[in-house]
C-alpha cells in the first residue's frame, strides 16, 4: 500500500520547452493546411482571374477582389424603350459610358465596334451608353452609324455614372459584366478593345458557365 501511495506522490514528468514548441508549430501547420483547403472549396467554380489581361492596351484595367453587383438603373435604347442591365443577363456585357464631346470616347469607339463584330454570333453585347443631352441625339446617332454594328443607348441624366459602385470617375468608363450580371472588370479612360488582350478577356468570360 505504501508503494502505491509513493507512486502517487511522485511528480509527473515535465514536458520540455522544445517539445511544446514543436507541438505548437505542428498545430499551426495543420491549421494553415485546413485554411487553404477550406478557401479553395469556397472559391466559385470556373471563375477566371482576369488580372492576367491587365497589360498593354488594358494596362489600366481594374479587377475587383470579388465580383460586384450591377445597378438596376433604367436607360433607353434608340427608340426610347426602357432597359436595365438585367435585360442582358446571359451575355457578357461590355458597357461603355461615353459622350460625343469626349475625344477619348470617340477615339476608342471604332475598337468597340470591331469587338462587337468579332463576336457577332456569340453571347457578347457591347453597350455604348451615351450621356449626351436630348438636343445632341443626332450626334449620338451619327456616331453609332459610323461605328456599326453598335447601337444607340442613352442615359442623359448621368444616373448610371452615379449609381455604379464605385461611381464612374469620368468618360469613357467601361464596365465588363459576366453572364451572371456581375461586374468583373472596369477601365477608366480609352483603350483598344480590338486588341489581343481585350479578346482574351472576353473569351475567358464567354467560356465561363
Amino acid at each position: 500500500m505504501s508503494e502505491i501511495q509513493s507512486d502517487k506522490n511522485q511528480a509527473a514528468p515535465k514536458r520540455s520547452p522544445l517539445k511544446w514548441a514543436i507541438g505548437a508549430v505542428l498545430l499551426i501547420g495543420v491549421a494553415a493546411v485546413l485554411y487553404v483547403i477550406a478557401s479553395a472549396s469556397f472559391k466559385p467554380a470556373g471563375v477566371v482571374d482576369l488580372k492576367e489581361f491587365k497589360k498593354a492596351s488594358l494596362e489600366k484595367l481594374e479587377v475587383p477582389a470579388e465580383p460586384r453587383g450591377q445597378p438596376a438603373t433604367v436607360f433607353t435604347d434608340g427608340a426610347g424603350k426602357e432597359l436595365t442591365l438585367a435585360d442582358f443577363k446571359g451575355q457578357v456585357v461590355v458597357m461603355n459610358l461615353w459622350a460625343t464631346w469626349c475625344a477619348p470616347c470617340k477615339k476608342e469607339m471604332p475598337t468597340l465596334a470591331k469587338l462587337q463584330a468579332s463576336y457577332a454570333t456569340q453571347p457578347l453585347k457591347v453597350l455604348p451608353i451615351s450621356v449626351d443631352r436630348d438636343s445632341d441625339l443626332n450626334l449620338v446617332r451619327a456616331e453609332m452609324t459610323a461605328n456599326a454594328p453598335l447601337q444607340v443607348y442613352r442615359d442623359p441624366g448621368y444616373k448610371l455614372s452615379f449609381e455604379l459602385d464605385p461611381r464612374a470617375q469620368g468618360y469613357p468608363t467601361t464596365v465588363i459584366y459576366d453572364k451572371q450580371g456581375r461586374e468583373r472588370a472596369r477601365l477608366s479612360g480609352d483603350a483598344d478593345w480590338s486588341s489581343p488582350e481585350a479578346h482574351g478577356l472576353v473569351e475567358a468570360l464567354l467560356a465561363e458557365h
Side-chain angles (χ1 to χ4, degrees):
M1 189 70 180
S2 61
E3 291 180 1
I4 297 174
Q5 186 65 34
S6 176
D7 290 341
K8 287 183 177 179
N9 291 335
Q10 288 181 2
K14 292 183 179 180
R15 193 173 184 181
S16 70
L18 179 60
K19 288 183 178 180
W20 279 109
I22 293 173
V25 170
L26 288 173
L27 284 172
I28 292 171
V30 171
V33 170
L34 290 174
Y35 175 79
V36 170
I37 293 172
S39 298
S41 65
F42 284 106
K43 184 178 180 180
V47 173
V48 179
D49 185 354
L50 300 179
K51 290 180 183 176
E52 65 175 288
F53 304 108
K54 181 181 171 66
K55 59 187 176 182
S57 68
L58 300 188
E59 185 178 358
K60 296 181 288 184
L61 191 72
E62 301 169 26
V63 180
E66 296 292 336
R68 299 169 178 152
Q70 59 183 197
T73 312
V74 174
F75 56 96
T76 61
D77 65 11
K81 180 183 176 181
E82 293 188 345
L83 299 165
T84 68
L85 289 169
D87 291 315
F88 300 91
K89 188 173 182 179
Q91 302 179 72
V92 173
V93 173
V94 179
M95 181 184 75
N96 178 261
L97 301 177
W98 73 286
T100 57
W101 41 261
C102 164
C105 299
K106 298 180 75 171
K107 175 186 174 184
E108 73 171 357
M109 197 61 70
T111 71
L112 286 164
K114 289 178 182 177
L115 181 67
Q116 180 66 87
S118 295
Y119 297 92
T121 61
Q122 298 188 51
L124 170 75
K125 183 64 178 179
V126 177
L127 281 177
I129 303 179
S130 164
V131 298
D132 288 277
R133 299 171 299 178
D134 292 341
S135 57
D136 291 327
L137 179 55
N138 60 321
L139 299 177
V140 176
R141 286 176 173 158
E143 189 70 23
M144 293 299 97
T145 299
N147 290 287
L150 299 182
Q151 299 170 306
V152 174
Y153 295 96
R154 305 185 62 230
D155 178 31
Y158 295 84
K159 291 180 291 182
L160 266 170
S161 302
F162 286 98
E163 292 179 16
L164 285 174
D165 184 20
R167 294 179 178 179
Q169 297 300 305
Y171 304 105
T173 290
T174 303
V175 184
I176 300 170
Y177 296 96
D178 62 21
K179 288 183 281 188
Q180 296 183 48
R182 303 173 301 179
E183 179 182 336
R184 298 288 297 280
R186 183 185 299 203
L187 195 150
S188 299
D190 61 292
D192 181 359
W193 295 103
S194 62
S195 65
E197 50 274 11
H199 280 239
L201 185 154
V202 164
E203 287 167 14
L205 291 177
L206 286 171
E208 288 184 355
H209 298 296

